[in-house]
């Protein structure tokens, strides 16, 4: 059964793409979601990096997640961008949906507010859309550590801080899903498959996987469709010291387990969880062996972190599966229905 169409939300419709001959690359809307003034300097870096791209986006949309002070500051101090209020549920998924509904580009690209994009970031992603089968593209996300990489933090766990991790392809390759800090979709994906599920994604808790769920949902509707990971599309992601503690790592892992439990109950999802199975059965064991072989306190700390994160993720997964009936997972989800044109 197809998910129900969500109630329409009033969203400002921006100017249509210019008429005339179509460019060799598709037009792109870049969406940056922001929620706090504490990241103001980083947000300015993110905006500047988009405005300095070798291929200029058709438009830049900044969506503010229920923070009137930040919204006013952006309206007064930032030029060359549209600033919108999140008209959906509070959180990242609602903010992204607001950006999608306002976007007019053929491609909708997303960049986190604490990310700095390299000049060719957008071009490298847009080039892959010359293949009609490609419906989403993700790029490489390198951590920009506040105090350097901690000794206990192995490369295999960089997903915890929203970055590319050891185990991903080293060259452009097909993958199951993109990573939220740097990704893009054909706008037709949202028209056909619907918006981001607003019951998933970051709010006040460190969960995620709304982009994974969307990719899985789209794959079911587009047999033969492809999601591509392009390491040449590069960004750097600020990582504060607070996000490198074992406490944060375990909380994030617990949230990831909950999110994966929600995804595993979706129709057709179990057979699409092969990347997780490979990660657990191949990537992590090699990482533990490598860390132990390194020896010393740092090696022991890395192997201990891997095992602890694995245990926390599994616990979150099992608790959520036991708590959430399958019927509630399969119920219509606000924000996950077919998109209708905003007026």
């Amino acid at each position: 059964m197809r998910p129900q169409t969500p109630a329409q939300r009033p969203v400002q419709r921006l100017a249509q793409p210019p008429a005339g001959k179509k460019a060799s690359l598709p037009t792109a809307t870049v969406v940056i979601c922001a929620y706090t003034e504490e990241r103001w300097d980083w947000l300015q870096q993110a905006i500047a990096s988009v405005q300095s791209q070798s291929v200029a986006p058709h438009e830049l949309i900044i969506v503010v997640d229920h923070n009137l002070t930040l919204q006013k500051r952006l309206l007064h101090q930032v030029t060359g961008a549209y600033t919108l209020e999140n008209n959906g549920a509070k959180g990242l998924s609602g903010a992204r949906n607001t950006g999608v509904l306002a976007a007019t580009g053929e491609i909708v690209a997303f960049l986190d507010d604490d990310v700095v994009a390299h000049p060719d970031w957008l071009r490298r992603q847009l080039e892959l859309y010359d293949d009609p089968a490609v419906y989403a593209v993700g790029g490489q996300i390198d951590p920009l550590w506040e105090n350097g990489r901690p000794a206990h933090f192995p490369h295999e766990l960089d997903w915890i801080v929203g970055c590319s991790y050891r185990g991903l392809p080293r060259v452009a390759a097909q993958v199951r899903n993109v990573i939220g800090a740097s990704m893009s979709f054909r706008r037709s994906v949202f028209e056909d498959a619907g918006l981001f599920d607003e019951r998933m994604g970051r709010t006040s808790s460190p969960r995620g996987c709304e982009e994974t769920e969307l990719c899985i949902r789209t794959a079911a509707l587009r047999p033969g469709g492809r999601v591509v990971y392009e390491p040449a599309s590069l960004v750097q992601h600020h990582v504060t010291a607070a996000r490198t503690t074992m406490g944060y790592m375990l909380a994030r892992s617990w949230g990831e387990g909950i999110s994966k439990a929600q995804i595993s109950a979706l129709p057709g999802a179990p057979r699409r969880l092969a990347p997780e199975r490979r990660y657990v059965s191949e990537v992590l064991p090699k990482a533990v062996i490598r860390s132990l072989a390194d020896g010393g306190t740092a090696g022991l700390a890395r192997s201990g972190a891997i095992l602890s994160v694995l245990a926390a993720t599994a616990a979150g997964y099992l608790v959520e599966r036991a708590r959430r009936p399958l019927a509630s997972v399969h119920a219509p989800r606000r924000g996950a229905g077919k998109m209708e044109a905003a007026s």
Side-chain angles (χ1 to χ4, degrees), residues 52-73:
S52 301
Q53 289 295 298
S54 59
V55 171
H58 165 60
E59 61 195 356
L60 170 60
I61 298 176
I62 305 170
V63 182
V64 180
D65 189 16
H66 300 276
N67 186 328
L68 184 58
T69 302
L70 175 59
Q71 184 178 349
K72 289 180 177 179
R73 188 175 182 183

Side-chain angles (χ1 to χ4, degrees), residues 23-335:
S24 57
L25 292 176
T27 58
T29 296
V30 176
V31 176
I32 299 177
C33 300
Y35 70 97
T36 176
E37 285 191 278
E38 294 179 2
R39 294 186 176 188
W40 177 258
D41 291 341
W42 290 351
L43 176 58
Q44 294 304 295
Q45 293 177 26
I47 293 171
S49 71
V50 172
Q51 295 177 334
S52 301
Q53 289 295 298
S54 59
V55 171
H58 165 60
E59 61 195 356
L60 170 60
I61 298 176
I62 305 170
V63 182
V64 180
D65 189 16
H66 300 276
N67 186 328
L68 184 58
T69 302
L70 175 59
Q71 184 178 349
K72 289 180 177 179
R73 188 175 182 183
L74 283 165
L75 286 169
H76 283 94
Q77 299 186 31
V78 174
T79 60
Y82 298 96
T83 298
L84 304 179
E85 178 186 5
N86 177 8
N87 288 301
K90 185 175 183 179
L92 186 54
S93 291
R96 284 174 172 166
N97 287 342
T98 297
V100 169
L101 289 170
T104 61
E106 298 166 274
I107 306 299
V108 185
F110 298 89
L111 199 67
D112 277 5
D113 63 345
D114 55 354
V115 161
V116 179
H118 283 219
D120 286 338
W121 163 73
L122 184 60
R123 179 176 66 83
R124 291 288 191 173
Q125 294 203 19
L126 294 181
E127 287 174 340
L128 291 169
Y129 288 103
D130 65 347
D131 181 352
V134 173
Y135 63 83
V137 178
Q140 181 169 319
I141 308 163
D142 288 344
L144 193 58
W145 307 98
E146 182 179 18
N147 297 323
R149 177 182 289 274
H152 67 273
F153 211 118
H155 292 270
E156 288 80 4
L157 298 184
D158 282 359
W159 60 266
I160 289 176
V161 291
C163 294
S164 301
Y165 53 90
R166 181 177 287 158
L168 287 176
R170 296 183 179 181
V171 297
Q174 183 172 347
V175 293
R176 183 196 61 194
N177 62 272
V178 291
I179 300 177
S182 169
M183 62 181 181
S184 62
F185 293 85
R186 291 189 188 274
R187 191 172 184 277
S188 60
V189 164
F190 302 103
E191 296 168 349
D192 297 339
L195 302 172
F196 291 102
D197 188 343
E198 293 182 356
R199 298 194 311 181
M200 304 186 73
R202 283 180 176 265
T203 51
S204 58
S205 62
R207 300 185 187 179
C209 290
E210 69 276 12
E211 62 272 3
T212 302
E213 189 274 338
L214 176 61
C215 287
I216 291 176
R217 187 168 11 118
T218 304
L221 296 174
R222 298 193 176 195
R226 300 174 61 208
V227 178
V228 178
Y229 174 69
E230 172 56 278
S233 175
L234 183 63
V235 303
Q236 290 183 302
H237 195 179
H238 287 282
V239 181
T240 63
R243 297 175 69 192
T244 65
T245 65
M246 279 304 304
Y248 179 86
M249 294 172 72
L250 294 179
R252 177 68 183 86
S253 303
W254 174 271
E256 183 74 6
I258 292 175
S259 299
K260 286 294 165 59
Q262 295 171 349
I263 287 177
S264 69
L266 297 173
R271 63 186 175 85
R272 299 187 183 277
L273 293 180
E276 281 79 8
R277 291 190 288 270
R278 174 183 172 274
Y279 177 76
V280 171
S281 64
E282 298 180 21
V283 176
L284 289 187
K286 290 179 180 179
V288 171
I289 293 172
R290 186 184 302 109
S291 297
L292 292 175
D294 291 341
T297 304
L300 289 174
R302 286 194 296 274
S303 60
I306 293 170
L307 295 175
S308 298
V309 163
L310 181 59
T313 304
Y317 179 91
L318 293 173
V319 168
E320 179 67 9
R321 285 304 299 264
R323 184 187 70 83
R324 179 183 291 264
L326 292 182
S328 68
V329 177
H330 294 163
R333 297 177 299 280
R334 182 172 184 263

